[in-house]
Amino acid sequence: MLGYQANAQWRDMSDFVVHFTKPGPPYHDAYQNMMSILGARTLIPGAEGFGIARREAKVADRSRSVCFSEIPIDQLGRLVQRRSLYGIAFRKSFILSQGGGPVWYVQYGSPAHLAMKHQLAQALTAKEPHKEPVWAVTPFVDIQGDAHNAPYNYRFDWEREWRVPGLLRFTEYDVAALFLPEEVHALAQDFFAWAVRERAGPGYFCPVLDPGWKEAQIAEALAKHAEGPPPTRTESKRVPG
């Protein structure tokens, strides 16, 4: 799982994106928020929109999105400091299949920015603005600038963000990995086993990682998970021939 497109040497890229949960409604604990998301099999966008049209009241709902990062999964430290220790990883191929994709960071005042502003102005004065096709693009476009380019005087391109407009529904089989502090790994795994046994909810038996682990620890955990659980005493091994 480390590397990109089956090339383990391409360590600056990843086949995965991660959504980090934060403390806040409905719970005030990032762990509980994460478990709630996993139980509902749904990621719900926040009230605040994203992208170049997020301040346009007429189409504010079209900007609401679920956010992810494509930073390689063993290099998440800086993002963890900004978000939390609790994350849900998906393959990029799944996110693309759900209408998601990477964010385009456009420089303030550039020809691309001016062209987008023109497209927005035309769409907002159309007979039915909400139906204009440009709103399918705007959640994926962020304008960034320097200190004198308010309100775009920030740069978050280091987050390497992906977005899915609207809700993201998934199954337990779509989740590629979970990120949790190591001290709660057993707690989460026991809960999922109980949920399946009691038919109380989905079970997530993907790799469980700590975002603070180094590359070697993550690689070891992924390799161990790929091997599968050892056979139990009641399982018989088939003898060739």
Side-chain angles (χ1 to χ4, degrees), residues 166-234:
L167 293 173
L168 175 65
R169 301 190 186 279
F170 57 88
T171 73
E172 52 270 45
Y173 308 107
D174 297 318
V175 175
L178 297 176
F179 285 94
L180 301 155
E182 186 173 2
E183 60 266 25
V184 297
H185 284 189
L187 175 67
Q189 290 168 324
D190 288 348
F191 174 79
F192 294 136
W194 170 86
V196 171
R197 185 173 62 250
E198 300 297 325
R199 299 182 180 181
Y204 292 82
F205 303 108
C206 54
V208 181
L209 312 171
D210 187 314
W213 281 352
K214 302 299 183 183
E215 177 184 346
Q217 291 173 287
I218 290 180
E220 180 182 358
L222 295 176
K224 184 177 180 180
H225 184 272
E227 293 172 0
T232 64
R233 292 184 181 181
T234 58

Side-chain angles (χ1 to χ4, degrees), residues 75-86:
Q75 300 174 32
L76 293 167
R78 185 178 175 189
L79 191 61
V80 163
Q81 292 178 3
R82 182 174 174 80
R83 303 296 180 188
S84 78
L85 294 167
Y86 301 89

Side-chain angles (χ1 to χ4, degrees), residues 57-124:
K58 290 182 180 179
V59 290
D61 59 313
R62 300 293 297 269
S63 297
R64 297 178 65 218
S65 306
V66 179
C67 301
F68 306 83
S69 171
E70 67 168 332
I71 294 174
I73 60 175
D74 62 321
Q75 300 174 32
L76 293 167
R78 185 178 175 189
L79 191 61
V80 163
Q81 292 178 3
R82 182 174 174 80
R83 303 296 180 188
S84 78
L85 294 167
Y86 301 89
I88 306 170
F90 298 90
R91 288 188 173 273
K92 286 180 176 177
S93 55
F94 172 70
I95 298 300
L96 290 168
S97 75
Q98 302 303 302
V103 171
W104 179 24
Y105 301 97
V106 176
Q107 179 63 29
Y108 178 87
S110 67
H113 178 204
L114 299 178
M116 285 298 302
K117 286 182 64 176
H118 179 70
Q119 291 293 318
L120 265 61
Q122 284 191 322
L124 289 168

